[in-house]
């Protein structure tokens, strides 16, 4: 086990499994599905983590920013503080303000665009690099009743326009209540969510795409997956159970 993988596993203190040099995702996805079903009975959510020294450092810095020591008791205290802060955030106001800010940045262009003919997405992106398989992928059982609390357990963010963990938790809660969306994959600069009840109409998908653009500007303006307008993103969200967020 690499140092960064061990640090992350120790930081979480959860049951885990390591996958090494996986060239396809069959074993990972099968295990994720198995643990998802098991978690409903036992009270946990599985998360696929791509370990890196950057992610390990982000976890450590998150504690330092709040002057919390890296001990089991202090990590629990940190999570409680983040979750409590998340409960105070007005998500609609948070997203609306970011949408207004980003819209003003591009007032000379049509950021909405047009709907496209696309197929829904049901698979994750970040856990498999076919060109160069990851040395290690970590799958953990996060022992939370509420899935949005995962953002407090794996506190990446706070850089560039990536929201702080408390804001992430608040938005994840909002989307869980609307779409049964659950955090499922994380790297140092990516979250992927699995949604049980995705939008079914273009109108619903457009509303969600505007929220996702507000939450993660780069998935539209950096065209990480070829979505260069909000309705192009909306086209991929209709009936899609897998959602992708990446911050440059």
């Amino acid at each position: 086990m690499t140092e960064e993988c061990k640090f992350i596993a120790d930081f979480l203190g959860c049951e885990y499994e390591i996958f090494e040099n996986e060239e396809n995702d069959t074993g990972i996805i099968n295990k994720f599905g198995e643990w998802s079903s098991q978690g409903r009975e036992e009270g946990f959510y599985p998360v696929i983590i791509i370990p890196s020294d950057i992610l390990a450092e982000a976890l450590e810095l998150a504690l330092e920013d709040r002057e919390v020591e890296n001990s089991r008791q202090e990590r629990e205290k940190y999570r409680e503080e983040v979750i409590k802060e998340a409960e105070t955030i007005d998500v609609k106001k948070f997203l609306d303000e970011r949408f207004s800010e980003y819209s003003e940045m591009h007032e000379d262009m049509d950021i909405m665009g047009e709907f496209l003919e696309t197929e829904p997405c049901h698979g994750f992106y970040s856990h498999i690099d076919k060109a160069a398989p990851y040395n290690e992928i970590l799958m953990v059982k996060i022992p939370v009743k509420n899935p949005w609390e995962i953002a407090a357990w794996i506190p990446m963010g706070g850089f560039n326009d990536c929201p702080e963990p408390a804001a992430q938790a608040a938005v994840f809660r909002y989307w869980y209540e609307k779409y049964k969306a659950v955090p499922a994959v994380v790297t140092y600069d990516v979250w992927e969510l699995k949604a049980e009840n995705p939008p079914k109409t273009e109108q619903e998908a457009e509303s969600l795409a505007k929220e996702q653009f507000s939450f993660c500007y780069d998935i539209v303006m950096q065209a990480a997956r070829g979505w260069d307008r909000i309705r192009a993103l909306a086209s991929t969200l209709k009936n899609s159970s897998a959602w992708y967020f990446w911050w440059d």
Side-chain angles (χ1 to χ4, degrees):
M1 184 186 294
T2 60
E3 289 184 8
E4 56 265 27
C5 188
K6 184 179 187 307
F7 178 89
I8 294 167
D10 290 346
F11 184 94
L12 295 172
C14 305
E15 184 179 339
Y16 65 85
E17 185 165 330
I18 295 177
F19 299 82
E20 297 181 324
N21 300 307
E22 296 286 329
E23 295 186 357
N24 66 68
D25 66 354
T26 302
I28 296 171
I29 295 304
N30 287 346
K31 179 60 71 173
F32 183 85
E34 176 187 326
W35 280 12
S36 294
S37 298
Q38 183 183 350
R40 294 188 186 98
E41 301 295 326
E42 299 183 13
F44 69 84
Y45 285 87
V47 178
I48 299 168
I49 302 174
I50 314 304
S52 67
D53 55 352
I54 301 175
L55 178 58
E57 183 180 9
L59 302 183
E60 193 168 25
L61 288 174
L63 300 185
E64 291 180 3
D65 286 346
R66 295 197 180 218
E67 299 182 349
V68 174
E69 294 181 0
N70 189 8
S71 67
R72 184 184 183 91
Q73 183 176 4
E74 291 293 289
R75 289 193 298 269
E76 289 177 359
K77 175 184 175 182
Y78 168 84
R79 293 163 190 154
E80 290 172 359
E81 289 178 354
V82 171
I83 292 165
K84 188 176 294 186
E85 182 180 336
E87 293 171 349
T88 70
I89 294 174
D90 183 331
V91 174
K92 189 175 187 305
K93 180 180 179 182
F94 172 77
L95 294 175
D96 285 348
E97 287 178 350
R98 286 169 69 97
F99 186 84
S100 295
E101 176 187 348
Y102 297 148
S103 297
E104 289 175 5
M105 288 168 55
H106 298 281
E107 60 184 359
D108 59 340
M109 66 178 286
D110 174 19
I111 63 170
M112 295 303 299
E114 303 294 334
F115 285 97
L116 307 176
E117 291 292 331
T118 61
E119 294 295 324
C121 176
H122 302 295
F124 303 133
Y125 288 108
S126 307
H127 61 302
I128 288 292
D129 185 339
K130 294 180 180 179
Y134 294 112
N135 292 332
E136 294 172 327
I137 293 176
L138 190 64
M139 191 182 301
V140 298
K141 297 179 177 180
I142 305 292
V144 291
K145 178 180 178 181
N146 302 311
W148 58 85
E149 295 176 8
I150 292 169
W153 279 72
I154 312 173
M156 57 79 80
F159 59 89
N160 296 340
D161 282 328
C162 183
E164 296 281 351
Q168 293 180 17
V171 173
F172 291 166
R173 178 178 182 174
Y174 172 72
W175 283 335
Y176 179 76
E177 292 171 348
K178 288 184 70 175
Y179 305 105
K180 294 296 181 185
V182 173
V185 182
V186 64
T187 80
Y188 71 89
D189 62 354
V190 167
W191 274 110
E192 297 191 54
L193 276 60
K194 192 74 171 176
E196 291 184 14
N197 185 32
K200 303 295 192 299
T201 67
E202 286 189 347
Q203 182 178 5
E204 291 172 341
E206 180 176 320
S207 176
L208 174 60
K210 291 171 70 175
E211 293 174 354
Q212 291 198 1
F213 167 73
S214 303
F215 180 67
C216 182
Y217 168 92
D218 287 339
I219 58 171
V220 173
M221 291 307 173
Q222 293 285 2
R225 297 290 168 188
W227 310 317
D228 60 353
R229 297 293 187 274
I230 289 172
R231 289 195 180 108
L233 172 59
S235 300
T236 72
L237 292 174
K238 182 181 175 183
N239 297 314
S240 289
S241 62
W243 301 351
Y244 174 89
F245 303 98
W246 165 77
W247 291 269
D248 189 7

